[in-house]
Amino acid sequence: MSQLFQQRALALAAKQMPVAAVQDLLQPLRRQGAQDFERATWPGRKLEHWKYTPVQSLSRFEQADWADGSAVHAEHLRSLMFMQDATKLVFVDGQLDVALSDPLPAGITLFSEADEAARAVIAANLGKVMGSVDPARRNLFAALNNAWTDDGLLIHVPRNTRLEQPVYVLSVNSAATSVSNLRILIVLEQGANAEVVEHFVSADGNSFVNALTEIQVGDNAHLHHTRLNLEAETINHIGAVHANLMRDASLKAFALAEGATLKRIDYQLNHCGQGASLSFDGVYLARHDQLVDYHTCIEHRVPHCTSQQVFRGIVGDRARAVFNGRIHIFENAQKTLAEMNNRNLLTSSTAEINTKPELEIYADDVKCAHGATISQLDETALYYLQSRGISPQQARMMLSFGFVNALLTSLPHESLRMALENWLRVRFTEDRSLVSDQTCAPETGV
């Protein structure tokens, strides 16, 4: 299966060429990506980073073609949107739909429409952030995204400026048994400030989506980045976010994902300048036979940096979830403060969570902590709520909702926060598989 899929993937890369305006800009990246993908080891149980995440479902794409950008009804699209007070950019099957999007403000452009100044920004940054990853830990699907990149979106915020509105990128996948690719490059120069939201939705098709975002946060720049993977459960989505934080830069990130046939999201976040800070919250929900996998790697390469990471998940039915969080502190990264915590609720005896927090420390003057827990709902809290006249079902729903809703407070945009809270309420109200109704067991953790 791996050989057939790789052959098809490379054939699709050869079939799809960038427009003439960006061929010279993108061809080196595409060529290197194809070579890296062809040479990469295929994921399997013997490969540690893919041990709990089978990719057999990709076999259905051995004959697939590019998605055709099927039309999306405007009224249906509005019902999917979580934000209105933002610059809205709608991508359908990986291609910008101009009719459904707002006009592009200054600094935001497609690679294929970039002027000379924007081309210089793209040339200086595209592929550079993900290229700094240790080769032994590189994701082969990031290489595939390189090979498949025929266009992309640049969000460039010049020095000491602030985007007036959040940038809201809605990616809609509409076709069945097809593939699509999305590439986003975010560059904040010194002292810049921005908020970017990526929201992925889909129809009930068996599509494969490969989406990668590179982020460069300059000296004393501030970015809030949100990534929502809320596609239909039949989707196959493999995505990644790679970010470099320079001196005194600040990145606040939030991630939310529902499970699917295959959903794997990698985060590679690098502290490259002293004083850089990272705050990263995440939520994942899995039910039925879904799979969701978050792999995060935070690298402290220089002294005097901080990172805080909190992920919470709820897994029910026969679903499986994976969380692998790694903190890597280099030898000269003294005075580092790094914390990571992963908490999970299992709402079924057949649900499964594989959680693995990692600390790799080579400096001796640091403060680090990590932990992971797997549990069910607290009996005492359930009893307290029921003693106040709340039904057992409603009590379980309230506690499950509160378990993950607490992390939404980190979102700075009120309309997005309220939309997500409403979305979660509907999920917990309509689907009992995400609400524990088992006898509670003691919490286990490390």
Side-chain angles (χ1 to χ4, degrees), residues 347-403:
T347 65
S348 164
S349 59
T350 53
E352 180 181 315
I353 171 71
N354 293 283
T355 177
K356 183 184 178 185
E358 301 179 43
L359 286 179
E360 190 173 342
I361 303 173
Y362 297 98
D364 54 13
D365 187 7
V366 300
K367 292 183 179 180
C368 297
H370 74 295
T373 62
I374 301 172
S375 65
Q376 296 173 347
L377 292 179
D378 179 47
E379 274 191 344
T380 302
L382 284 170
Y383 175 79
Y384 176 83
L385 290 173
Q386 292 176 63
S387 70
R388 297 306 189 264
I390 298 173
S391 69
Q393 180 180 352
Q394 184 70 9
R396 295 185 181 100
M397 188 276 288
M398 291 172 63
L399 291 176
S400 297
F401 173 78
F403 177 72

Side-chain angles (χ1 to χ4, degrees), residues 73-82 84 168 170 199 201 423:
H73 196 280
E75 289 302 319
H76 176 60
L77 181 69
R78 291 190 188 97
S79 70
L80 298 174
M81 285 187 173
F82 280 178
Q84 295 296 331
Y168 177 61
L170 181 65
H199 182 188
V201 296
W423 180 87

Side-chain angles (χ1 to χ4, degrees), residues 3 16 52 104 128 133 144 161 169 225 229-230 254 285 299 310 350-351 357 382 384-385 387 420 426:
Q3 187 176 8
Q16 159 237 52
Y52 302 107
L104 298 182
K128 304 300 191 298
V133 178
L144 180 60
T161 59
V169 181
H225 180 262
N229 285 95
L230 306 180
F254 178 81
L285 308 173
E299 294 204 340
V310 179
T350 53
L382 284 170
Y384 176 83
L385 290 173
S387 70
L420 284 175
V426 172

Side-chain angles (χ1 to χ4, degrees), residues 127-405:
K128 304 300 191 298
V129 181
M130 62 166 292
S132 66
V133 178
D134 180 354
R137 300 187 64 86
R138 288 180 185 172
N139 187 328
L140 79 163
F141 292 100
L144 180 60
N145 187 281
N146 283 346
W148 279 357
T149 295
D150 68 333
D151 206 343
L153 177 69
L154 170 65
I155 301 174
H156 174 224
V157 188
R159 181 172 179 168
N160 296 327
T161 59
R162 180 189 184 98
L163 285 182
E164 293 184 3
Q165 286 188 315
V167 178
Y168 177 61
V169 181
L170 181 65
S171 178
V172 184
N173 195 266
S174 64
T177 317
S178 61
V179 301
S180 63
N181 198 71
L182 181 62
R183 186 63 169 260
I184 298 177
L185 175 63
I186 303 172
V187 179
L188 272 64
E189 295 186 5
Q190 179 179 347
N193 197 307
E195 181 183 353
V196 178
V197 178
E198 298 180 50
H199 182 188
F200 294 86
V201 296
S202 72
D204 292 327
N206 297 319
S207 302
F208 171 53
V209 181
N210 191 347
L212 190 150
T213 300
E214 284 187 288
I215 301 172
Q216 185 76 26
V217 188
D219 294 350
N220 199 37
H222 305 276
L223 173 67
H224 197 291
H225 180 262
T226 301
R227 198 178 203 272
L228 310 173
N229 285 95
L230 306 180
E231 303 102 326
E233 62 182 324
T234 53
I235 203 78
N236 291 259
H237 183 117
I238 296 180
V241 176
H242 295 257
N244 280 348
L245 309 182
M246 307 314 290
R247 188 178 186 91
D248 296 320
S250 170
L251 172 61
K252 293 184 178 181
F254 178 81
L256 172 63
E258 276 198 292
T261 299
L262 169 62
K263 186 163 290 183
R264 164 71 178 254
I265 313 294
D266 284 50
Y267 274 82
Q268 176 76 34
L269 309 171
N270 310 313
H271 292 74
C272 302
Q274 293 191 35
S277 65
L278 167 70
S279 175
F280 187 15
D281 293 335
V283 173
Y284 48 87
L285 308 173
R287 56 204 170 104
H288 304 157
D289 293 299
Q290 297 173 352
L291 167 68
V292 59
D293 177 354
Y294 272 105
H295 269 60
T296 69
C297 179
I298 300 173
E299 294 204 340
H300 287 264
R301 300 178 177 178
V302 295
H304 300 284
C305 294
T306 63
S307 65
Q308 286 191 317
Q309 181 180 193
V310 179
F311 265 73
R312 295 186 181 183
I314 300 181
V315 188
D317 291 328
R318 300 163 302 282
R320 290 172 296 120
V322 181
F323 175 80
N324 193 120
R326 176 174 180 257
I327 298 175
H328 179 199
I329 301 177
F330 285 60
E331 185 176 2
N332 65 334
Q334 306 294 347
K335 304 296 183 181
T336 290
L337 173 61
E339 298 178 350
M340 174 174 55
N341 184 268
N342 176 228
R343 297 179 61 192
N344 298 277
L345 284 179
L346 292 182
T347 65
S348 164
S349 59
T350 53
E352 180 181 315
I353 171 71
N354 293 283
T355 177
K356 183 184 178 185
E358 301 179 43
L359 286 179
E360 190 173 342
I361 303 173
Y362 297 98
D364 54 13
D365 187 7
V366 300
K367 292 183 179 180
C368 297
H370 74 295
T373 62
I374 301 172
S375 65
Q376 296 173 347
L377 292 179
D378 179 47
E379 274 191 344
T380 302
L382 284 170
Y383 175 79
Y384 176 83
L385 290 173
Q386 292 176 63
S387 70
R388 297 306 189 264
I390 298 173
S391 69
Q393 180 180 352
Q394 184 70 9
R396 295 185 181 100
M397 188 276 288
M398 291 172 63
L399 291 176
S400 297
F401 173 78
F403 177 72
V404 296
N405 185 56

